[in-house]
Amino acid sequence: EDSIVVSGQEVHNWLGIFGAVLSYFFVFKWFGIASLLFVPITSILGLRLLLDRRVGKLKTLLVVSGFFLFWFSLVLGYVALKLNGQNYFSYICGGIGFELATIVDSIAGWGTAFILLFLIITFSIYFFNITSIVPAKKNIESSAEALIPASDVAANSENELMDIDDDIFIDPNPPMEVVNALANETVADNAEEDEADLWVVKKQDERKPKVKGEPEFNIDDAFAALAAQQAQDEIINQANIVGKDVVQDQFVEPSPEDVPLDGEQIANYDPTLDLPHYQYPPVDLLNEFDGNKVQVTKEELEANKDKIVDTLKNYSIGITSIKATIGPTVTLYEIVPDAGVRISKIKSLEDDIALNLAALGIRIIAPMPGKGTIGIEVPNINREMVAMKSVLSTEKFLKSDKELPVVFGKTISNEVFVIDLAKMPHLLMAGATGQGKSVGLNVLLASLIYKKHPSQLKFVLVDPKKVELSLFNKIERHFLAKLPDTEEAIITDTKKVVHTLNSLCIEMDMRYDLLKEANCRNIKEYNQKFVERRLNPNNGHRFLPYIVLVIDELADLMMTAGKEVETPIARLAQLARAIGIHLVVATQRPSVNVITGIIKANFPARLSFKVTSKIDSRTILDAGGADQLVGQGDMLFSNGSEVIRLQCAFLDTPEVERVCEFIGSQRGYDHPYHLPEFSDDDMVEDKGNKEFKFSERDKMFEEAARIIVTHQQGSTSLLQRRLKLGYNRAGRLIDQLETCGIVGAFEGSKAREVLIRDEYSLEQLLTELAGQA
């Protein structure tokens, strides 16, 4: 300043000597006129401090301004250097620009111009993510056009349709790259809106500044994750409903060209050809609930966070950070406690936190599996209703490659939960009255019906309450299985239940014999061999559909039948997995006298709705928490050590009726799938040495004798397969045949010798025996 005053020059600017000093350093000594880029930086900072609002993106502005500050200064310095040094334009490049230009020119010479051009092009491509010369707007518009429904296209004028190229078509299933691009764009827009709204709320509330030691809590992350999930679901759903229904299109009816002509190579066996015109139920039969998205406010999140922190602070427990994940029913707050805090101390404060939050009931997960955090689940004030249609139409379910996919609902992070019943392999359900157990069974059955063909799946429905599963009577000739002499496909009588369970055991034994002869370990390998025509149907081989046994109320059966029910259920649970028989057993009160140790040991998958006591929760899940649920479809699912909280999808009774009516109105099989015959005589143990009288012979004696003589093989397993009998009854028939002289004595592992060589001799013997009787 003294040098300027001594020089005698008069200063002409708004800031006087101070302005002259600033211009001397910024313009003359440093960056020249490129120093004007400092103006927007200081303006943005000033507006942020003054308005307490996020004006622009500061990081982007700093990077762009910093680059162009040096680049413009270098360009102007190079121009000044080429125009005879500092005599021309040296005042606009600054000292830094001129020195940089001198250094670069000494190294590259005339190549400096190409270096400067290369720098600006590289920076623009990298920073602004320029990947195509086509404007981004056109790309987005073309992607959006791929999602336009066919009905909207048809609404255009006839002249416009005539101009469309024949090669252009509307893809009903757009590529995931397009869906993800649109989802990211939608999420970004939602995040910016939420961000702006959040700052407005902060300004209106005039909250106090963050206190030292207060844990980190970012509400933006919770709403950004929620917006991302909702935008992804919305775009996928829109893509799925374009053109024909996706569920309807996932199976294609075989064309006449697929059937081989005489002399041609035989094609693989297709079990769906039994009902070639069967149509899968469309998702339009289900209800769609609008306006039921999660409505968790920022004030609710902030208030719950403050109450959790204050409660723990009252007990001298510090928190490093806290994070919120918004779900349809509850919000999960993940906290990281200070070093040295015992987890059991936080776990013991479950009731205190629930009292301060005034919540219906909270659940503490300490620690979170696979994470270094402690989870606190707090019920939302406004809950979301998860519609069955919204989860069935998702790509996660439609594109599932699971054998028996079941979509229960949504997890706490709003993700659709799909699991394979074939991998469970059996499911034990519990829940108090009115908490959603029957709806959960309907959801499970509807999931399988929407995914499988009648030739691939059969249900055995046991309903002691007589009303819950009666809706599925209409699909009797498509999906249900029953005993041959039973009138109703839905089994309600306890005696019939015992017969059906034992019949399933016979079916299990017969299937294992088939697998043994085919050298297969499970039903999947066996069916694959049969489809490839590597097994001969004349030898008793057949395509084996999956069988799902559903028992709606086990407690009633255990009270009336006891061991007669427990024993076959335990046998099926122990052995039936490999041959495609899976059990789903539900009960209202999971007490130890209902869910015995034998049954419980073979049901690794457990699902619990709200129960009345902690004892019931430990009985069904081997862990607490089910008594803290909020009801109405809120449930815990355990398949091993991890317990997952879900909101069950809602499937109303009229929806089930429409689906069953749609299937029942189509042509089905001539009769339901028949299980092996079983009677009370099969439950009586063999009397051993009691003398056999021909008049007391088994009613299937003659038929068994003809089978033995025709095949010339005295085998018990042969009778089991041909007559669909249990092992005990088939063994008694062999003993009766031995007494009558039709087969020889027992010879260990070898088949018995057949003493009658032809059917004529057999008929003569049967006539003589009948005359003697």
Side-chain angles (χ1 to χ4, degrees):
E1 298 176 1
D2 294 338
S3 61
I4 296 176
V5 175
V6 171
S7 65
Q9 297 287 338
E10 185 177 356
V11 178
H12 296 285
N13 64 70
W14 292 351
L15 297 181
I17 296 177
F18 180 69
V21 173
L22 285 179
S23 63
Y24 174 74
F25 283 101
F26 277 89
V27 179
F28 185 76
K29 283 288 188 181
W30 292 347
F31 301 105
I33 63 174
S35 300
L36 294 175
L37 292 171
F38 283 104
V39 175
I41 298 176
T42 55
S43 300
I44 294 297
L45 288 175
L47 288 174
R48 284 199 170 205
L49 294 175
L50 179 63
L51 301 178
D52 194 20
R53 295 276 310 263
R54 294 188 180 183
V55 183
K57 296 182 179 180
L58 185 60
K59 182 178 178 181
T60 303
L61 182 63
L62 289 175
V63 174
V64 174
S65 300
F67 172 79
F68 283 105
L69 189 69
F70 283 93
W71 188 80
F72 274 123
S73 181
L74 180 58
V75 169
L76 295 174
Y78 182 69
V79 173
L81 182 65
K82 290 304 178 183
L83 297 178
N84 297 325
Q86 294 182 346
N87 294 330
Y88 302 96
F89 299 106
S90 59
Y91 62 90
I92 65 173
C93 66
I96 293 179
F98 188 82
E99 292 299 329
L100 286 176
T102 304
I103 295 173
V104 176
D105 184 66
S106 64
I107 296 174
W110 285 100
T112 304
F114 294 101
I115 293 177
L116 294 174
L117 183 62
F118 175 77
L119 286 176
I120 187 64
I121 293 175
T122 303
F123 178 80
S124 300
I125 292 175
Y126 176 78
F127 189 79
F128 295 105
N129 195 23
I130 300 175
T131 58
S132 174
I133 60 175
V134 180
K137 183 176 181 181
K138 288 186 177 180
N139 287 337
I140 296 175
E141 291 176 353
S142 61
S143 301
E145 289 174 0
L147 297 175
I148 297 176
S151 59
D152 294 344
V153 177
N156 294 332
S157 64
E158 182 177 358
N159 294 333
E160 292 175 340
L161 292 176
M162 293 298 293
D163 295 333
I164 299 177
D165 193 345
D166 293 337
D167 294 335
I168 300 177
F169 68 98
I170 299 174
D171 188 1
N173 295 307
M176 284 308 299
E177 292 81 359
V178 176
V179 175
N180 291 334
L182 292 176
N184 294 334
E185 180 187 2
T186 305
V187 170
D189 294 341
N190 293 338
E192 291 179 0
E193 293 176 3
D194 291 340
E195 185 178 277
D197 294 340
L198 177 60
W199 281 92
V200 172
V201 171
K202 285 186 177 180
K203 186 63 179 178
Q204 292 174 351
D205 294 346
E206 296 182 356
R207 290 190 298 224
K208 59 184 179 181
K210 180 180 175 181
V211 181
K212 183 178 180 181
E214 185 179 353
E216 297 180 1
F217 182 61
N218 194 341
I219 300 181
D220 296 345
D221 293 342
F223 280 93
L226 179 62
Q229 185 65 39
Q230 290 180 350
Q232 185 77 6
D233 293 343
E234 182 66 23
I235 290 178
I236 291 177
N237 289 341
Q238 290 296 328
N240 286 339
I241 64 175
V242 174
K244 295 176 66 177
D245 191 280
V246 179
V247 180
Q248 196 73 13
D249 282 349
Q250 61 179 329
F251 296 97
V252 181
E253 180 181 333
S255 61
E257 289 77 6
D258 296 334
V259 182
L261 300 176
D262 295 338
E264 296 184 0
Q265 183 179 1
I266 299 178
N268 287 345
Y269 173 75
D270 186 1
T272 61
L273 289 177
D274 294 344
L275 295 177
H277 302 291
Y278 174 78
Q279 294 182 357
Y280 291 81
V283 294
D284 292 339
L285 298 173
L286 306 178
N287 296 335
E288 185 172 2
F289 301 95
D290 297 328
N292 285 293
K293 296 297 182 183
V294 181
Q295 298 177 353
V296 179
T297 62
K298 300 178 179 66
E299 292 84 355
E300 181 181 346
L301 286 180
E302 192 72 35
N304 287 340
K305 167 254 179 183
D306 293 337
K307 291 176 182 177
I308 293 174
V309 173
D310 292 342
T311 302
L312 296 178
K313 190 180 296 183
N314 293 336
Y315 293 91
S316 303
I317 298 176
I319 300 176
T320 303
S321 66
I322 181 169
K323 173 188 175 184
T325 303
I326 303 172
T329 305
V330 296
T331 297
L332 173 65
Y333 294 87
E334 295 183 56
I335 64 174
V336 179
D338 290 341
V341 176
R342 297 177 63 89
I343 295 179
S344 59
K345 189 175 181 181
I346 298 178
K347 181 71 175 176
S348 64
L349 299 177
E350 188 173 64
D351 295 335
D352 299 273
I353 297 175
L355 176 64
N356 285 355
L357 292 173
L360 293 176
I362 67 168
R363 176 170 169 260
I364 294 181
I365 311 170
M368 293 284 292
K371 300 181 180 180
T373 60
I374 295 175
I376 301 177
E377 295 176 348
V378 181
N380 299 332
I381 297 177
N382 299 316
R383 299 173 54 179
E384 174 190 359
M385 179 179 291
V386 179
M388 188 64 181
K389 181 178 182 179
S390 66
V391 294
L392 280 182
S393 58
T394 57
E395 183 183 18
K396 190 171 185 180
F397 177 75
L398 296 176
K399 300 294 181 64
S400 174
D401 58 351
K402 296 177 171 58
E403 290 294 319
L404 297 175
V406 176
V407 53
F408 276 121
K410 289 187 177 181
T411 65
I412 197 171
S413 57
N414 271 285
E415 296 180 0
V416 176
F417 184 79
V418 181
I419 195 166
D420 191 358
L421 179 60
K423 296 289 182 63
M424 288 188 198
H426 312 294
L427 177 63
L428 194 60
M429 297 177 62
T433 302
Q435 302 303 322
K437 186 170 75 297
S438 297
V439 174
L441 286 176
N442 289 340
V443 167
L444 183 144
L445 295 172
S447 299
L448 298 175
I449 288 173
Y450 266 89
K451 197 66 176 177
K452 306 300 288 186
H453 190 273
S455 63
Q456 302 168 335
L457 174 67
K458 301 297 176 183
F459 295 118
V460 177
L461 303 182
V462 177
D463 184 14
K465 292 187 287 188
K466 302 183 181 181
V467 293
E468 295 294 345
L469 299 177
S470 59
L471 298 173
F472 295 92
N473 258 324
K474 297 179 181 178
I475 61 173
E476 175 181 350
R477 293 183 298 109
H478 295 82
F479 283 101
L480 299 190
K482 67 175 185 178
L483 293 172
D485 57 344
T486 305
E487 295 182 2
E488 295 292 333
I490 311 296
I491 307 163
T492 57
D493 181 66
T494 303
K495 185 177 180 180
K496 291 294 184 182
V497 172
V498 175
H499 289 183
T500 302
L501 293 176
N502 285 281
S503 176
L504 280 173
C505 293
I506 298 173
E507 175 78 13
M508 176 183 69
D509 294 333
M510 293 171 55
R511 289 190 174 199
Y512 268 117
D513 289 337
L514 293 177
L515 262 64
K516 178 182 177 182
E517 294 182 4
N519 293 322
C520 298
R521 297 183 58 202
N522 53 57
I523 186 175
K524 188 174 181 181
E525 295 179 5
Y526 178 87
N527 282 341
Q528 183 64 30
K529 277 189 175 182
F530 189 84
V531 167
E532 295 174 355
R533 301 186 185 275
R534 295 158 59 189
L535 300 175
N536 191 348
N538 295 327
N539 295 333
H541 292 291
R542 55 193 170 92
F543 185 84
L544 301 179
Y546 285 95
I547 298 178
V548 177
L549 168 64
V550 179
I551 302 177
D552 188 30
E553 185 49 70
L554 179 64
D556 183 73
L557 297 180
M558 294 296 292
M559 290 174 60
T560 55
K563 291 292 183 182
E564 293 181 0
V565 171
E566 180 184 0
T567 301
I569 289 179
R571 280 205 69 209
L572 291 171
Q574 290 168 350
L575 302 174
R577 172 183 181 178
I579 45 82
I581 299 178
H582 303 280
L583 280 63
V584 179
V585 179
T587 182
Q588 288 185 359
R589 188 169 187 272
S591 55
V592 292
N593 60 336
V594 175
I595 304 177
T596 62
I598 297 177
I599 294 178
K600 185 177 177 182
N602 297 286
F603 284 79
R606 321 273 178 80
L607 192 152
S608 177
F609 293 89
K610 181 177 176 62
V611 293
T612 55
S613 67
K614 292 184 179 180
I615 297 176
D616 290 345
S617 177
R618 294 192 182 98
T619 303
I620 181 67
L621 296 175
D622 293 329
D627 56 311
Q628 298 291 341
L629 300 176
V630 296
Q632 296 181 358
D634 190 19
M635 63 185 184
L636 295 177
F637 177 79
S638 171
N639 194 13
S641 58
E642 185 179 1
V643 179
I644 304 172
R645 191 165 188 172
L646 305 170
Q647 174 61 42
C648 183
F650 179 69
L651 185 64
D652 203 1
T653 301
E655 299 177 79
V656 180
E657 290 179 345
R658 288 196 294 268
V659 172
C660 293
E661 183 67 32
F662 179 85
I663 297 175
S665 62
Q666 303 180 50
R667 179 181 178 183
Y669 293 97
D670 295 335
H671 54 76
Y673 184 85
H674 282 170
L675 298 174
E677 184 181 356
F678 187 86
S679 64
D680 291 330
D681 296 337
D682 296 322
M683 301 175 64
V684 180
E685 296 183 358
D686 194 8
K687 297 295 184 179
N689 296 328
K690 182 180 178 181
E691 184 179 354
F692 167 67
K693 296 181 180 179
F694 187 76
S695 59
E696 299 176 356
R697 68 188 183 279
D698 192 288
K699 62 181 181 180
M700 304 190 74
F701 177 85
E702 288 84 357
E703 187 175 357
R706 293 185 180 94
I707 291 175
I708 292 295
V709 172
T710 301
H711 290 82
Q712 288 295 302
Q713 180 182 353
S715 171
T716 305
S717 61
L718 177 63
L719 295 181
Q720 285 183 266
R721 291 196 307 273
R722 291 295 182 181
L723 300 179
K724 296 184 179 180
L725 302 176
Y727 179 79
N728 292 335
R729 188 177 181 185
R732 287 196 299 272
L733 279 170
I734 287 291
D735 293 338
Q736 293 176 9
L737 293 172
E738 178 188 357
T739 304
C740 294
I742 298 176
V743 296
F746 177 70
E747 298 182 11
S749 59
K750 294 175 59 179
R752 295 172 184 252
E753 180 185 1
V754 181
L755 303 179
I756 304 297
R757 295 301 176 185
D758 54 65
E759 295 185 11
Y760 179 74
S761 301
L762 174 64
E763 294 298 332
Q764 286 184 329
L765 177 61
L766 293 176
T767 303
E768 294 176 1
L769 292 173
Q772 295 175 2

